[in-house]
Amino acid sequence: MTFKDVIVVGGGAAGFFAAINIAEQNPNLKVAILERSKEGLAKVKVSGGGRCNVTHAEFIPKELTQNYPRGEKELLGPFHQFMTGDTIEWFEKHGVELKIEDDGRMFPVSNSSQTIINCFLNEAEKHQVEVFYSHIVKAIDPQDQQFKIETSQGDFLTNKLLIATGSNPKIWNLLEPLGHTISQPVPSLFTFNIKDERIQDIPGVVAQDVEVKVLDTNLWSEGPLLITHWGMSAPSILKLSAFGALELAKRDYKFQIEINFIRQTFNDCLEVLKTLKQDLAKKTVFKSTQFDIPKRLWHKLVLASGMEMETRWADLNKEKLENLAGQLTQAIFKVDGKSTFKEEFVTAGGINLKEIDFKTFESKRVKNLYFAGEVINVDAITGGFNFQNAWTGAYIAAKNIAQ
Ligand SMILES: Cc1cc2nc3c(=O)[nH]c(=O)nc-3n(C[C@H](O)[C@H](O)[C@H](O)COP(=O)(O)OP(=O)(O)OC[C@H]3O[C@@H](n4cnc5c(N)ncnc54)[C@H](O)[C@@H]3O)c2cc1C
């Protein structure tokens, strides 16, 4: 049996960040990571399209929390302890400079996730964190204020245990006998499958600022919308998929959405169209794109309003004007299923939030047991927020363990 003062289960983002911080803050502690794969940090490697979207340039804790469909309330306190600015500073101190992109996402200046991996591997080595690869944790047994951990390659004993295994149902099963409950995992961050003439054959078209509602729910969002080969994507849709993860799973991903492509009310839009009818009387509706919406989308919506390509503005009767206003501001689409977003997926679900003390990330059920990262029932929309959750939880748990 191998003894370590601290054992971190899971050599991913949260596990490495925690282990390094524990060893750095308290060099007297023997710290080890148990990782089931041959290499750790697999998700960091592929994250952000291989560039690793480390965090997001949002510096107000309350605003930052609003990107977490699960964890919004619980993360406010932790973000006052460690958030974006601290992440930037931490990486800078450890030799990694980050940059901000126009949309707020932050990446290493190198544009390579390998920079983050190298940083973690170097720091782990420097602070003598021992990483046991190909060690699958199979059982956790609390014994006289210590934990015995059974792995595929032998047993370990430790005083303090940090679980950072991401969304792994097998580990959740091991935690239930210790008194923890698990919020059922469902996918988050997905795109919507939609078959509809109005978006057929125009993949790549982006409406810059739309409002989307899911009918018969309180779910709504705003932002860019991308038409894809299979349906719709981009922030307006991904936000709905995250905030509606549970609700949409219950509906088996079959529901209706209403899109306002121009963010004006139906009546305001109708007034504008009536004016256009006067001003552009002799022009064809099809060819005179309005409201800054993409030309190809305008063509589709005009045809869906019951007009011909040759219809002139002067020919529009009340019904046609109303149809077009409806298509622009209240277009209903039927969603039938979901697809993965650029292979990036996140799982909603995990250790019940009520069972964790968010001042320390220690379990309220078992003393000296800590959690960080996606193993907890916290998840965020895309943009660097999921990693920020991993850094924050890992740092705070590390600080408490190191003390
Ligand atoms: C393709 C992709 C791209 C992404 N891009 C981004 C991005 O750019 N920005 C962002 O913020 N988020 C991104 N995410 C989400 C982000 O990767 C996760 O939120 C984050 O990795 C969670 O960190 P974690 O340490 O909690 O879990 P993980 O990174 O999943 O690490 C868990 C580790 O535990 C190990 N483990 C599991 N079970 C056991 C066991 N029984 N014994 C031993 N070890 C075990 C696993 O092998 C793994 O190494 C992306 C996700 C994906 C899938």
Side-chain angles (χ1 to χ4, degrees):
M1 178 120 60
T2 311
F3 175 80
K4 297 284 169 189
D5 296 302
V6 183
I7 283 187
V8 175
V9 182
F16 264 90
F17 200 69
I20 292 164
N21 280 293
I22 297 165
E24 191 176 55
Q25 290 174 32
N26 189 342
N28 297 322
L29 295 176
K30 283 197 168 53
V31 184
I33 296 176
L34 305 179
E35 165 57 45
R36 76 175 163 183
S37 312
K38 281 201 207 107
E39 285 178 34
L41 299 164
K43 275 204 202 169
V44 172
K45 176 93 183 157
V46 297
S47 66
R51 294 200 299 144
C52 187
N53 179 193
V54 176
T55 185
H56 198 98
E58 171 57 72
F59 299 95
I60 303 164
K62 182 92 185 119
E63 298 285 319
L64 185 60
T65 59
Q66 279 163 24
N67 298 290
Y68 295 84
R70 283 143 296 272
E72 178 180 346
K73 196 166 79 214
E74 292 77 8
L75 285 175
L76 184 60
F79 283 156
H80 278 283
Q81 284 198 57
F82 191 94
M83 62 173 273
T84 323
D86 308 291
T87 304
I88 299 168
E89 202 183 312
W90 191 96
F91 279 102
E92 209 168 291
K93 260 197 194 157
H94 295 80
V96 180
E97 208 185 321
L98 303 180
K99 59 167 179 176
I100 306 177
E101 301 213 327
D102 289 348
D103 57 5
R105 290 181 304 157
M106 298 197 67
F107 295 88
V109 168
S110 66
N111 269 330
S112 167
S113 57
Q114 194 58 43
T115 305
I116 304 295
I117 296 178
N118 291 346
C119 165
F120 284 172
L121 295 179
N122 291 339
E123 291 300 321
E125 200 182 330
K126 182 166 144 197
H127 297 289
Q128 285 154 30
V129 172
E130 209 172 336
V131 190
F132 292 86
Y133 293 107
S134 305
H135 279 62
I136 306 168
V137 169
K138 304 211 156 204
I140 299 170
D141 187 9
Q143 297 184 335
D144 301 334
Q145 320 226 340
Q146 289 190 317
F147 299 91
K148 186 181 152 205
I149 299 147
E150 201 181 294
T151 81
S152 50
Q153 298 199 53
D155 294 350
F156 289 76
L157 194 68
T158 188
N159 293 335
K160 300 211 181 215
L161 179 62
L162 172 74
I163 308 286
T165 42
S167 318
N168 187 320
K170 284 196 184 138
I171 285 285
W172 286 328
N173 293 343
L174 300 185
L175 294 168
E176 275 175 323
L178 305 187
H180 279 289
T181 54
I182 310 300
S183 302
Q184 271 319 301
V186 292
S188 181
L189 284 188
F190 48 84
T191 65
F192 294 173
N193 295 353
I194 298 169
K195 273 207 185 103
D196 192 293
E197 176 56 39
R198 287 166 293 177
I199 58 166
Q200 204 178 339
D201 304 325
I202 57 167
V205 164
V206 178
Q208 282 304 341
D209 187 21
V210 309
E211 191 178 293
V212 190
K213 288 185 209 160
V214 178
L215 295 185
D216 304 322
T217 71
N218 295 325
L219 292 167
W220 75 280
S221 75
E222 58 194 0
L225 178 129
L226 166 72
I227 293 167
T228 68
H229 288 283
W230 299 272
M232 293 179 183
S233 180
S236 62
I237 299 298
L238 294 167
K239 275 190 254 175
L240 281 181
S241 79
F243 283 91
L246 303 179
E247 181 79 43
L248 303 180
K250 259 191 242 156
R251 290 163 192 248
D252 198 20
Y253 308 103
K254 291 180 176 53
F255 50 91
Q256 290 190 314
I257 55 174
E258 181 184 299
I259 303 181
N260 187 331
F261 286 107
I262 58 170
R263 312 268 327 249
Q264 289 190 18
T265 64
F266 175 87
N267 285 335
D268 286 351
C269 173
L270 195 57
E271 288 312 308
V272 176
L273 294 179
K274 281 179 187 164
T275 313
L276 289 170
K277 178 177 151 99
Q278 305 300 324
D279 296 350
L280 305 174
K282 290 192 175 146
K283 300 212 154 117
T284 65
V285 182
F286 190 82
K287 282 195 181 152
S288 35
T289 309
Q290 298 296 323
F291 302 102
D292 276 340
I293 73 171
K295 195 160 60 173
R296 289 194 289 164
L297 180 61
W298 172 264
H299 290 165
K300 290 281 191 184
L301 297 180
V302 167
L303 297 179
S305 307
M307 296 177 214
E308 309 293 331
M309 281 165 78
E310 301 75 29
T311 308
R312 291 175 195 281
W313 283 94
D315 304 331
L316 297 191
N317 57 18
K318 185 166 174 277
E319 188 194 345
K320 292 227 165 75
L321 284 168
E322 285 181 355
N323 283 351
L324 184 54
Q327 286 297 340
L328 289 163
T329 63
Q330 303 170 341
I332 309 263
F333 290 85
K334 216 167 125 192
V335 178
D336 187 7
K338 62 175 172 54
S339 293
T340 318
F341 164 66
K342 290 191 199 159
E343 301 313 313
E344 175 171 342
F345 47 85
V346 160
T347 305
I351 309 273
N352 206 313
L353 298 175
K354 291 198 173 69
E355 298 164 6
I356 294 164
D357 176 355
F358 281 91
K359 289 196 186 76
T360 57
F361 283 75
E362 189 175 6
S363 158
K364 285 184 184 170
R365 299 278 184 268
V366 185
K367 206 169 156 28
N368 293 326
L369 175 64
Y370 294 79
F371 300 107
E374 235 184 82
V375 69
I376 302 172
N377 184 22
V378 169
D379 63 273
I381 58 171
T382 179
F385 306 105
N386 281 300
F387 277 141
Q388 186 55 57
N389 168 53
W391 316 138
T392 294
Y395 185 87
I396 295 172
K399 193 173 104 186
N400 286 277
I401 291 170
Q403 279 166 5

